[in-house]
């Protein structure tokens, strides 16, 4: 089976362009019993910081799964697909509540998805410190 590795800090141009286009993504977290929980999300990718970001509500299941993993973070993956193009980013997720980090994640979301989410005092950001990137952009 073919592998399509990318450097998460320096992906090739087609891969990066794919992550800049508007695409619905999935986030896979692990439940406490080890089974996967896959949900649709918007994701932004910041190769310079080696981070992917997902904005969400602090009471969501995905946040609960990340928090349950403890301070070292949870292993997660985000993925997007469009025809023969696909991309997966993997890493350790942590929930961030700092207003500046949340605002930065909202700004990045608005840039990628073309709309600014409404105010939400319960919004947090799941930051994923990237360890692996795969795909074909």
């Amino acid at each position: 089976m073919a592998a399509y590795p990318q450097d998460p800090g320096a992906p090739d141009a087609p891969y990066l362009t794919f992550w800049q286009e508007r695409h619905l993504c999935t986030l896979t977290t692990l439940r406490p019993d080890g089974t996967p929980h896959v949900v649709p999300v918007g994701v932004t990718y910041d190769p310079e910081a080696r981070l992917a970001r997902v904005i969400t509500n602090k009471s969501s299941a995905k946040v609960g799964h990340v928090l349950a993993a403890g301070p070292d973070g949870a292993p997660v993956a985000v993925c997007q697909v469009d025809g023969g193009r696909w991309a997966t980013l993997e890493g350790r997720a942590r929930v961030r509540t700092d207003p500046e980090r949340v605002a930065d994640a909202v700004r990045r979301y608005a840039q990628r998805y073309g709309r600014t989410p409404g105010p939400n005092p319960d919004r947090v950001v799941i930051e994923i410190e990237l360890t692996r990137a795969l795909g074909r952009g």
Side-chain angles (χ1 to χ4, degrees):
M1 186 172 193
Y4 300 96
Q6 293 280 336
D7 177 345
D12 66 31
Y15 190 84
L16 182 57
T17 297
F18 186 39
W19 276 106
Q20 293 168 339
E21 297 169 1
R22 187 182 191 281
H23 294 285
L24 186 62
C25 303
T26 60
L27 168 68
T28 302
T29 59
L30 298 176
R31 295 181 183 99
D33 69 1
T35 59
H37 177 256
V38 183
V39 294
V41 293
V43 176
T44 60
Y45 174 32
D46 179 359
E48 282 186 16
R50 294 180 73 101
L51 288 175
R53 295 174 179 89
V54 175
I55 56 174
T56 188
N57 196 297
K58 68 181 179 182
S59 64
S60 69
K62 55 190 159 286
V63 166
H65 298 154
V66 172
L67 292 174
D72 289 337
V76 302
V78 290
C79 184
Q80 65 182 22
V81 178
D82 181 36
R85 299 184 306 159
W86 62 277
T88 299
L89 299 170
E90 300 176 15
R92 305 292 297 184
R94 291 175 181 82
V95 176
R96 306 297 190 192
T97 59
D98 174 71
E100 291 176 6
R101 284 179 128 140
V102 174
D104 180 52
V106 168
R107 181 187 58 76
R108 291 170 186 276
Y109 177 96
Q111 183 177 6
R112 181 175 188 198
Y113 290 98
R115 70 170 198 83
T116 301
N120 178 353
D122 292 331
R123 182 173 290 128
V124 297
V125 59
I126 297 173
E127 287 185 349
I128 306 163
E129 293 178 20
L130 301 174
T131 57
R132 182 178 295 154
L134 300 166
R136 294 178 7 175

